[in-house]
Amino acid sequence: VTREFRVVQYGLGAIGRMVTRALAERPDFQLVGVIDSNPEFQGLDAGAVAEIGRPLGMTVTGDPQKVLRAGIADVVLHCTGSSLPAVYPQLELCLRAGLNVVSTCEELFYPWRRHGDLARRLAALAETHGATLLGTGVNPGFVMDVLPLLVTNVCLNVERISVTRVLDAGTRRLPFQQKVGVGLSQGEFQRRHAEVGMGHVGLTESISLLADSLGWSLDTITNDIEPVLAEQSLSTQFLDVPEGQVKGIRQIAQGLSSGSPVITMRLEMAVDTVDPRDVIEIEGTPPLRLRIDGGVPGDPATVAALLNAVPGVVAARPGLLSPRDLPLPHWRVGKLMEAGANRA
Amino acid sequence: VTREFRVVQYGLGAIGRMVTRALAERPDFQLVGVIDSNPEFQGLDAGAVAEIGRPLGMTVTGDPQKVLRAGIADVVLHCTGSSLPAVYPQLELCLRAGLNVVSTCEELFYPWRRHGDLARRLAALAETHGATLLGTGVNPGFVMDVLPLLVTNVCLNVERISVTRVLDAGTRRLPFQQKVGVGLSQGEFQRRHAEVGMGHVGLTESISLLADSLGWSLDTITNDIEPVLAEQSLSTQFLDVPEGQVKGIRQIAQGLSSGSPVITMRLEMAVDTVDPRDVIEIEGTPPLRLRIDGGVPGDPATVAALLNAVPGVVAARPGLLSPRDLPLPHWRVGKLMEAGANRA
């Protein structure tokens, strides 16, 4: 018997370590290489870094070139950052080795609008080297784009799409709470927003994929961010928030066509949240309203979307694709293969 | 300018007439032939039969061979019946002419379990003649199979899937109300069920697609039907239901693995229904619960799924496919093409 998919894990941040833990439980995935730039991780077994409680027999290396060579893996699972310009050299290395890549990089999900030039270069590299490149996850990748896009399948006409995602940052990791500004003063929030930009990366990509898929041409995509303030003092597992300070972020992005919003994304990420949920509303024929109580939990869903994309990506044509280009992605039971059956 | 998709409409029953009305409003579809076996329709303009209020310039014919010849259309929209053995000769005619087909035939949606032999014959015909054959609609085709399958994409593990669809038959056509037994006595219901079988066709197909896609092997698929009784006298637009008589049907189908239900479909179709809805529940990691208030309206959604499948089917490889084999189906704006652009 053998394992169906040989995988290089590229990046051992919070999501990368979760991916590694998930891989270790799957009989169909075999880890064949682990890359991370953190010097503290290098030379350690990936099982130790991912806190699995047993070695995985794979040592973390800081030098991607030692790992990324033709034929070493069926796919690279890439989890190093949100910014496409920042991760571009890493993706280029993978593609030049002819390796398929599934990445959590939010700006890679549908990069044609924000980073058209990089997107064209990645597409050309992928095609030249016979590799498939896909960005996916829960958001972007599912709740605010792929799922609403599928829902339009039962519509005769679509006039407007709204997606609201309200998530309880109180259940999330410390870096996530920090990312959404929990505990900052309003001044600190605005200062940090002016300096490095606050808010979720990916709404522009979700809106672009929807608009292009539906055949809507957009004038512009707006993106507005404001802090959500604590009405009374509160504490999370990690942080204290005095009354009037920031407990999270509210972000509204809109795609405008002829000056009017046709796609609206509302994303609220705060602690002490009432009624976390995902809601998709289609104005059209028929109108439809779909609700996921509690909302799709971000971290496990992103890890799942990454692993569940692998069979489709391995079978796909070369190129820079998005999930809508592939057969319907879904979970399936991980099974050991009969020896040789996977290399047919 | 020209239209992107040339279409033969095969069948002018209630759904076929709705499809024809939808086609007449779309700038991207051109009707190039209309077939129906009803002698009252033959020789009439399709626009008259579909009650569009204007002629479409296409006369209904009862002889499919007059219409179905190689190259006449990009796709045949086939809406004549639920039973695959009954419609098989019609599909064969389309495929032998090398024509792609999108069909509402419920048993065609995923015919491999119930009609394996016919499925293999259709697949071989489609491949031989370079045509793509797809069964789709709202149910089967969306609510109880394709949508829950996509939802598993954000799961690391799936243990059980339940889908509940409760629809208000009071808002539906007379034939639909009759199909679900509205106004029958309990004895008439049971007699008719014993003679011709009551209930929705398609749950076995939905369960089979889910199980095969998830890699679950099923021992058996059960299908239980009972009448829903009126607790007080009531009337629909078409029918009267005295107290204690039948106001609809409740159907439960289950896929069993090692004796235990892993897929459960509950379908309730009755008049005087409280809280019509579609609910998808995934037991797994993470557990997920998705709800569509009011439920997806059956008739327009089926017409939409049919039309929205066309671009994917025209571009697909030949064969007998199901929606999970194609890129994500979705609505898109219908536009006139520049002349020649569609035949690239």
Side-chain angles (χ1 to χ4, degrees):
Chain A
V1 293
T2 178
R3 286 162 192 261
E4 197 168 356
F5 302 109
R6 294 163 306 143
V7 175
V8 169
Q9 178 60 38
Y10 198 145
L12 288 177
I15 291 287
R17 295 197 297 276
M18 280 184 233
V19 171
T20 304
R21 286 196 286 275
L23 289 171
E25 291 181 10
R26 290 279 296 241
D28 48 344
F29 285 103
Q30 181 179 359
L31 201 60
V32 296
V34 185
I35 306 166
D36 194 274
S37 61
N38 186 338
E40 292 179 20
F41 292 168
Q42 290 161 21
L44 298 180
D45 185 274
V49 176
E51 297 175 333
I52 291 170
R54 62 183 169 88
L56 293 174
M58 273 295 134
T59 303
V60 182
T61 175
D63 181 0
Q65 310 240 35
K66 279 195 183 155
V67 172
L68 301 171
R69 55 183 188 275
I72 189 183
D74 298 299
V75 67
V76 179
L77 300 180
H78 175 265
C79 315
T80 68
S82 303
S83 158
L84 186 56
V87 306
Y88 180 89
Q90 302 168 355
L91 298 174
E92 184 174 1
L93 278 179
C94 298
L95 296 176
R96 286 195 183 279
L99 298 170
N100 301 313
V101 182
V102 181
S103 174
T104 55
C105 173
E106 283 89 344
E107 291 185 354
L108 180 67
F109 168 66
Y110 195 77
W112 302 97
R113 186 181 184 99
R114 196 200 295 256
H115 297 296
D117 185 52
L118 293 183
R120 282 183 291 274
R121 282 158 61 189
L122 287 169
L125 274 170
E127 285 160 26
T128 301
H129 297 279
T132 305
L133 174 59
L134 181 86
T136 193
V138 68
N139 182 27
F142 188 74
V143 170
M144 302 187 100
D145 36 59
V146 170
L147 184 57
L149 187 61
L150 181 70
V151 174
T152 70
N153 185 46
V154 286
C155 293
L156 286 164
N157 187 41
V158 178
E159 284 159 21
R160 247 176 300 277
I161 296 182
S162 305
V163 187
T164 299
R165 178 161 167 81
V166 176
L167 60 82
D168 182 1
T171 64
R172 303 293 289 267
R173 297 170 276 124
L174 173 60
F176 186 93
Q177 294 185 6
Q178 291 170 326
K179 177 183 127 176
V180 301
V182 176
L184 298 181
S185 70
Q186 293 186 57
E188 289 166 334
F189 183 98
Q190 298 299 356
R191 205 152 45 239
R192 194 189 294 177
H193 185 39
E195 282 167 11
V196 298
M198 299 283 290
H200 174 72
V201 175
L203 299 185
T204 295
E205 286 71 16
S206 294
I207 290 173
S208 301
L209 175 112
L210 278 175
D212 286 357
S213 303
L214 302 176
W216 291 346
S217 79
L218 300 180
D219 321 324
T220 187
I221 297 177
T222 64
N223 189 12
D224 295 303
I225 286 170
E226 61 178 22
V228 182
L229 304 180
E231 289 174 14
Q232 53 197 34
S233 298
L234 57 92
S235 295
T236 76
Q237 191 185 346
F238 309 109
L239 299 166
D240 294 319
V241 188
E243 182 188 336
Q245 303 281 82
V246 176
K247 68 171 187 169
I249 196 166
R250 187 178 294 118
Q251 189 167 359
I252 299 184
Q254 293 193 306
L256 305 184
S257 181
S258 306
S260 159
V262 289
I263 303 175
T264 299
M265 305 281 174
R266 291 182 191 86
L267 179 58
E268 190 172 316
M269 305 182 283
V271 302
D272 190 36
T273 287
V274 177
D275 190 20
R277 63 195 181 276
D278 298 323
V279 177
I280 294 168
E281 287 172 287
I282 313 276
E283 286 180 52
T285 310
L288 291 169
R289 185 173 185 280
L290 183 151
R291 179 187 164 96
I292 299 175
D293 293 323
V296 178
D299 287 347
T302 289
V303 175
L306 212 67
L307 299 194
N308 292 331
V310 169
V313 163
V314 168
R317 65 179 164 85
L320 168 56
L321 306 183
S322 70
R324 61 132 195 220
D325 305 313
L326 294 169
L328 200 81
H330 58 82
W331 178 84
R332 71 173 208 200
V333 151
K335 289 176 179 161
L336 280 167
M337 307 277 294
E338 291 306 307
N342 58 333
R343 303 279 168 254
Chain B
V1 294
T2 177
R3 287 163 191 261
E4 197 169 357
F5 303 108
R6 294 163 305 144
V7 176
V8 169
Q9 178 59 38
Y10 198 146
L12 287 178
I15 290 288
R17 294 196 299 274
M18 280 183 233
V19 171
T20 303
R21 287 196 286 274
L23 288 171
E25 291 182 10
R26 290 278 296 240
D28 49 344
F29 286 101
Q30 181 180 359
L31 201 59
V32 295
V34 185
I35 306 166
D36 193 274
S37 62
N38 185 339
E40 293 179 19
F41 292 169
Q42 291 161 21
L44 298 180
D45 185 274
V49 176
E51 296 174 333
I52 292 170
R54 63 182 170 89
L56 293 174
M58 273 295 133
T59 303
V60 182
T61 174
D63 180 0
Q65 310 240 36
K66 278 195 184 155
V67 172
L68 301 171
R69 55 181 188 276
I72 188 183
D74 298 298
V75 67
V76 179
L77 299 179
H78 175 265
C79 316
T80 67
S82 303
S83 157
L84 186 55
V87 306
Y88 180 88
Q90 301 168 355
L91 299 174
E92 184 174 1
L93 278 179
C94 298
L95 295 176
R96 286 195 184 279
L99 298 170
N100 300 313
V101 182
V102 180
S103 173
T104 55
C105 173
E106 284 88 343
E107 291 185 353
L108 180 67
F109 168 66
Y110 195 77
W112 302 97
R113 186 181 183 100
R114 196 200 294 256
H115 296 298
D117 185 52
L118 293 182
R120 282 183 292 274
R121 282 159 61 189
L122 288 168
L125 274 170
E127 285 160 26
T128 300
H129 297 279
T132 304
L133 174 59
L134 181 86
T136 193
V138 69
N139 182 27
F142 187 75
V143 171
M144 302 187 101
D145 36 59
V146 170
L147 184 58
L149 187 61
L150 180 71
V151 175
T152 70
N153 185 46
V154 286
C155 294
L156 287 164
N157 188 40
V158 178
E159 284 159 21
R160 247 175 300 276
I161 296 181
S162 304
V163 187
T164 299
R165 180 161 166 81
V166 176
L167 60 83
D168 182 0
T171 64
R172 303 293 288 267
R173 297 168 276 125
L174 173 61
F176 187 93
Q177 294 185 7
Q178 291 171 324
K179 177 184 126 176
V180 302
V182 175
L184 298 182
S185 71
Q186 293 187 57
E188 288 166 334
F189 183 98
Q190 298 299 355
R191 204 153 44 240
R192 195 190 294 177
H193 184 39
E195 281 167 12
V196 297
M198 299 282 289
H200 174 71
V201 175
L203 299 184
T204 295
E205 286 71 16
S206 294
I207 290 173
S208 301
L209 175 112
L210 277 176
D212 286 358
S213 302
L214 301 175
W216 290 346
S217 79
L218 300 179
D219 321 324
T220 187
I221 297 177
T222 63
N223 190 11
D224 295 303
I225 285 168
E226 60 179 24
V228 182
L229 303 180
E231 289 174 14
Q232 53 197 33
S233 297
L234 57 93
S235 294
T236 77
Q237 191 184 346
F238 309 108
L239 299 166
D240 293 319
V241 187
E243 181 187 336
Q245 302 281 82
V246 176
K247 68 169 187 170
I249 196 167
R250 187 178 294 120
Q251 189 167 359
I252 298 184
Q254 292 194 306
L256 305 183
S257 180
S258 304
S260 159
V262 289
I263 303 174
T264 299
M265 305 280 174
R266 290 182 192 84
L267 180 58
E268 189 171 317
M269 305 182 283
V271 301
D272 190 35
T273 287
V274 177
D275 190 20
R277 64 197 180 273
D278 298 322
V279 177
I280 295 168
E281 288 172 287
I282 313 277
E283 287 180 50
T285 310
L288 291 170
R289 185 172 184 283
L290 184 150
R291 179 187 163 95
I292 299 175
D293 293 324
V296 178
D299 287 347
T302 289
V303 175
L306 212 67
L307 298 194
N308 292 332
V310 168
V313 163
V314 169
R317 66 179 163 85
L320 168 56
L321 305 183
S322 71
R324 62 131 195 221
D325 305 314
L326 294 169
L328 201 82
H330 58 82
W331 178 85
R332 71 172 207 203
V333 153
K335 290 176 178 160
L336 280 167
M337 306 278 293
E338 289 307 307
N342 60 331
R343 303 279 168 252

